[in-house]
Amino acid sequence: MNGTLVTEFLIVGFSEMPHLRVPLLLSFLSLYMAAISGNLLIIVTISASPALHTPMYFFLVNLAMVDILCTSTILPKLLDTMVGGRTISYGGCMAQLFFFTWSLGAELLLFSAMAYDRFVAICCPLHYSTWMGPRVCGFLAGIVWAISLTNTSINTSLVLRLPFCSSNVIEHFFCEIPPLLKLSCAPTQLNEAMAFAADVFLAVGNFSVIILSYGFIVASILKIRSAEGKQRAFSTCSAHLIVVSMYYSTVIYTYIRPSSSYSLNKDKVVSIIYTSVAPTLNPLIYTLRNKDVKVALRRLLSCC
């Protein structure tokens, strides 16, 4: 098959498990509906509550927007493949790759911005209003979206230059860099090097910054004398750490290896975590463990 003749790809998805098609279809449909409704509710609640117009919730709104972008890029097509539409056009595949990689990079960077916000709030409270003012928050959010956009533009462009000659069957449930590199009949060392570099910077680098920040945060929390103050601080930080640990570990596992080590079943399970499960759990984790959001949510629902 000549690379110039590839007009569509065949997505394997979960076709090797026909006996689980209906349960999986219902599960992914539920995850998608929960992710969209939960993240939209977060955005509406924070936007409608002046008391929540603080840096922490500003970044939480950005995170909800990223999660909506991620799930809307992946899950509708996944649901379509499970009911028979297993092909995706070449342009559609590249678009899916572009928007997914954009959301992935933005989420990784947002976690660092959120960790910095908690670091300043707990370790340097007297400087919080200055160091985390509206202009600073807007600048950080702009940097997050711009860097992630640059990253996805570079990696998608590198994939666009590859010819696909051996097969057009994607052994995955969406268009992602590792399975696409396996289909190319041209050398992919540059693609793998760029994906590795992006992972080192966006995942390993940011995760290291977050761990360092939380080292200082924990040290500061232990100095708080009141038990209530410690509990409030730990409650705010633990929610962030749960999400961060789950997300970073799966992304690092997927992108820091060469494409030749890609495993169909194992990698699909890992990908489900950061494409479907994490975006669905984020609103639940941040809402159920946050008293301010729960109060604002009750007030919003009582008005409806």
Side-chain angles (χ1 to χ4, degrees):
M1 182 183 297
N2 189 291
T4 59
L5 298 180
V6 175
T7 58
E8 64 180 18
F9 292 97
L10 181 66
I11 299 178
V12 172
F14 298 92
S15 58
E16 74 278 7
M17 297 181 287
H19 57 291
L20 295 177
R21 188 174 70 88
V22 174
L24 286 173
L25 177 64
L26 294 176
S27 298
F28 284 117
L29 179 60
S30 299
L31 284 171
Y32 183 52
M33 294 176 64
I36 295 297
S37 58
N39 284 292
L40 280 176
L41 191 59
I42 286 280
I43 294 173
V44 172
T45 301
I46 294 175
S47 300
S49 306
L52 299 182
H53 292 178
T54 63
M56 182 174 74
Y57 298 109
F58 169 75
F59 290 121
L60 190 54
V61 166
N62 277 267
L63 182 65
M65 293 168 61
V66 170
D67 286 337
I68 290 174
L69 174 63
C70 177
T71 52
S72 297
T73 300
I74 303 300
L75 293 184
K77 183 56 187 175
L78 171 59
L79 294 170
D80 180 50
T81 61
M82 299 186 77
V83 295
R86 292 176 56 196
T87 59
I88 184 171
S89 67
Y90 180 87
C93 183
M94 295 302 111
Q96 189 179 59
L97 173 67
F98 178 88
F99 286 108
F100 167 71
T101 308
W102 190 11
S103 67
L104 181 67
E107 185 134 0
L108 294 170
L109 289 166
L110 271 172
F111 286 142
S112 289
M114 294 170 75
Y116 173 71
D117 170 69
R118 292 300 83 205
F119 166 76
V120 177
I122 295 173
C123 299
C124 313
L126 298 179
H127 299 284
Y128 187 72
S129 60
T130 304
W131 292 1
M132 293 303 296
R135 289 186 178 180
V136 176
C137 291
F139 174 75
L140 289 175
I143 289 294
V144 165
W145 288 99
I147 291 179
S148 56
L149 178 60
T150 302
N151 171 63
T152 189
S153 298
I154 293 173
N155 280 285
T156 304
S157 297
L158 290 174
V159 173
L160 282 168
R161 58 183 280 276
L162 294 175
F164 298 97
C165 5
S166 58
S167 172
N168 69 335
V169 179
I170 298 177
E171 295 182 343
H172 205 355
F173 60 87
F174 70 102
C175 295
E176 194 175 16
I177 292 176
L180 283 172
L181 295 187
K182 288 195 70 175
L183 299 182
S184 176
C185 54
T188 59
Q189 288 88 343
L190 179 59
N191 299 74
E192 292 183 14
M194 288 303 299
F196 180 83
D199 194 54
V200 168
F201 172 70
L202 294 174
V204 178
N206 281 282
F207 188 60
S208 301
V209 169
I210 291 172
I211 295 301
L212 182 63
S213 299
Y214 274 96
F216 288 111
I217 289 172
V218 170
S220 296
I221 290 176
L222 293 176
K223 295 178 183 178
I224 299 175
R225 294 185 178 182
S226 68
E228 183 180 352
K230 286 183 179 180
Q231 183 179 1
R232 182 179 178 85
F234 271 122
S235 176
T236 302
C237 297
S238 61
H240 187 219
L241 278 177
I242 291 171
V243 176
V244 164
S245 300
M246 176 176 61
Y247 202 87
Y248 275 90
S249 59
T250 54
V251 171
I252 291 172
Y253 169 82
T254 300
Y255 285 92
I256 211 162
R257 304 166 301 145
S259 60
S260 57
S261 64
Y262 179 78
S263 171
L264 173 59
N265 294 322
K266 188 186 298 183
D267 285 64
K268 279 199 292 189
V269 172
V270 172
S271 296
I272 289 173
I273 295 175
Y274 59 80
T275 60
S276 309
V277 177
T280 304
L281 290 181
N282 282 349
L284 295 175
I285 291 174
Y286 285 110
T287 303
L288 295 178
R289 299 181 64 87
N290 191 301
K291 186 182 298 183
D292 295 333
V293 175
K294 286 191 285 187
V295 170
L297 186 57
R298 288 196 205 100
R299 188 179 295 120
L300 179 66
L301 295 176
S302 65
C303 295
C304 294

